Amino acid sequence: MILHYYFARKFLWMFLGIGGVFIALLALIDVVDELQDFPDLPIWDVVEIVLLNVPSTNYEILPLIVILAAVALFVRLARTSELIVVRASGRSGLRALLGPIAVAAAIGIVSITVLNPIVAASSKRYHDVVNGHRGGGGSVLTISSDGLWLRQGSATGQTVIHATRASSDVSVLYDTTFIAFSPSGDPLRRITARTARLGAGEWVLSDAKLWELAVGGNAETSATTLPTLRVPSALTQDRIIDSFGKPEYISLWDLPDFITQLEEAGFSARRYAVWFQMELARPLFLMALVLVAAAFTMRHARTSNTGVSVLTSIMLGFTLYYLRNFAQVLGENGQIPVTLAAWAPPIASFLLAFGILLHMEDG
């Protein structure tokens, strides 16, 4: 037990050290980028933007930090002959991995339960702050229990759009209501329609009824019914989809309810479901990366080419990471089931690394 605690502690300190280096390095790079993007901003506003972006950038490279920490740990143990002493005492090299693997699992669990909500909140705030400085607006779409709400604006005022449901690609809204407001906030007109199809720079409404909300008039008596009505719009399909927010902007704890709301509103929640399952599989993937590093760097430094072993383990880790991302793309596009896209790469990586370790140790 003492030996497992010893290896676990060394791996944890190695992880924290390498993670601290990456945090400082990426923060400095981000400062330079933000100063170039916003040269007129006060320095404290730039620092705020950088601090909001730090959790997200480091969360994305967490697998890289884990595999580098594992490689550094096992290379150091090999050079100090500590692994030879462990084997000479009658313990196998596989048992020596229990401590680092447990720490990797703990890092994965902490990352999805504690860091994920922090990253989601900071990423969303970073997106809003950057859009505010660039002159863009906030989210144009909101989903609630009674349907979805859209907002579009122009120099002539704002228009609020409500629909009970929509097509999966958000190109068609059903049972819609358009309420136009003047720049001062006074209501101008109300339109209801059976469907509203988003075209190039306009909404095409079918079976529409229009009320002019002039002050002192009777809107119902002057209402008109039209088979087709065109309403100008600066919205695009991509902008509406982006308004949902990336999966990274939503806390893991809130994702199940958000997925349910999307599906009830008629939208496809596949990419959010894939992200949710991949986050749950993150601890297993981090454990697999530790095994990958151990498979090539646990041998004694005198009996192996350390440089080649380190390079091989890092490159294999990168390959597994990009295969995991490729599976995510396939899952989001519906090419493979959600569960397969999220869990197949971590399980395959774990079994592959474990097989290589068994061959190296007992082969």
Side-chain angles (χ1 to χ4, degrees):
M1 188 65 186
I2 296 178
L3 185 63
H4 296 324
Y5 175 74
Y6 172 73
F7 285 142
R9 184 182 61 186
K10 291 181 74 70
F11 177 68
L12 178 60
W13 282 112
M14 197 72 68
F15 170 80
L16 294 177
I18 294 177
V21 172
F22 271 96
I23 290 175
L25 181 61
L26 293 178
L28 290 175
I29 295 175
D30 201 17
V31 167
V32 176
D33 290 340
E34 300 300 341
L35 286 175
Q36 292 177 347
D37 293 339
F38 305 105
D40 299 328
L41 274 185
I43 186 63
W44 294 114
D45 291 341
V46 174
V47 171
E48 178 191 6
I49 294 175
V50 171
L51 292 178
L52 290 173
N53 196 34
V54 163
S56 175
T57 54
N58 286 274
Y59 191 75
E60 292 177 0
I61 64 170
L62 185 61
L64 171 63
I65 299 175
V66 168
I67 195 170
L68 290 178
V71 167
L73 171 69
F74 294 124
V75 168
R76 182 175 179 179
L77 293 178
R79 286 182 174 177
T80 57
S81 300
E82 291 178 81
L83 291 176
I84 295 179
V85 174
V86 170
R87 291 188 176 97
S89 65
R91 292 175 176 267
S92 67
L94 293 176
R95 292 185 63 183
L97 294 176
L98 293 178
I101 290 177
V103 172
I107 292 172
I109 293 173
V110 171
S111 68
I112 64 176
T113 56
V114 179
L115 295 182
N116 180 276
I118 296 175
V119 171
S122 62
S123 298
K124 184 63 171 65
R125 177 61 181 167
Y126 169 81
H127 180 267
D128 293 341
V129 170
V130 170
N131 278 351
H133 289 307
R134 288 176 178 170
S139 174
V140 299
L141 183 145
T142 302
I143 297 178
S144 63
S145 58
D146 59 346
L148 58 102
W149 298 83
L150 283 168
R151 174 180 55 82
Q152 64 181 35
S154 65
T156 59
Q158 299 281 330
T159 301
V160 176
I161 306 171
H162 174 261
T164 56
R165 59 190 182 92
S167 61
S168 59
D169 59 355
V170 208
S171 61
V172 181
L173 305 180
Y174 300 94
D175 299 328
T176 61
T177 301
F178 288 67
I179 302 178
F181 296 88
S182 67
S184 60
D186 298 324
L188 298 177
R189 67 188 62 88
R190 178 175 180 264
I191 306 171
T192 61
R194 181 173 57 86
T195 62
R197 183 177 299 273
L198 183 62
E202 63 181 7
W203 290 99
V204 180
L205 281 61
S206 61
D207 296 338
K209 186 175 182 179
L210 170 64
W211 291 268
E212 294 291 346
L213 304 179
V215 178
N218 190 328
E220 184 61 34
T221 57
S222 61
T224 56
T225 301
L226 302 169
T228 303
L229 179 64
R230 300 178 184 273
V231 177
S233 174
L235 294 177
T236 62
Q237 186 176 353
D238 291 338
R239 186 181 176 192
I240 295 175
I241 293 176
D242 289 341
S243 295
F244 282 117
K246 296 180 180 179
E248 295 88 340
Y249 295 168
I250 305 171
S251 169
L252 190 72
W253 302 101
D254 298 330
L255 262 179
D257 292 337
F258 184 80
I259 291 173
T260 302
Q261 284 187 346
L262 279 182
E263 292 175 343
E264 290 178 350
F267 294 101
S268 172
R270 175 174 289 271
R271 69 167 177 163
Y272 297 92
V274 170
W275 172 260
F276 178 71
Q277 292 295 329
M278 291 190 68
E279 286 296 284
L280 295 181
R282 180 182 287 267
L284 180 61
F285 186 68
L286 297 184
M287 294 166 62
L289 293 181
V290 173
L291 291 179
V292 168
F296 294 96
T297 57
M298 282 184 67
R299 292 172 290 176
H300 195 275
R302 295 182 180 180
T303 61
S304 63
N305 190 330
T306 303
V308 174
S309 299
V310 170
L311 181 61
T312 302
S313 61
I314 294 177
M315 292 303 297
L316 181 57
F318 270 104
T319 301
L320 296 176
Y321 178 75
Y322 285 113
L323 286 176
R324 175 174 175 263
N325 291 344
F326 181 66
Q328 178 181 1
V329 173
L330 293 180
E332 291 177 351
N333 293 333
Q335 303 297 318
I336 57 177
V338 172
T339 304
L340 183 64
W343 289 94
I347 293 176
S349 302
F350 188 90
L351 295 178
L352 173 64
F354 191 68
I356 296 175
L357 263 174
L358 289 178
H359 176 73
M360 294 294 185
E361 288 293 316
D362 303 322

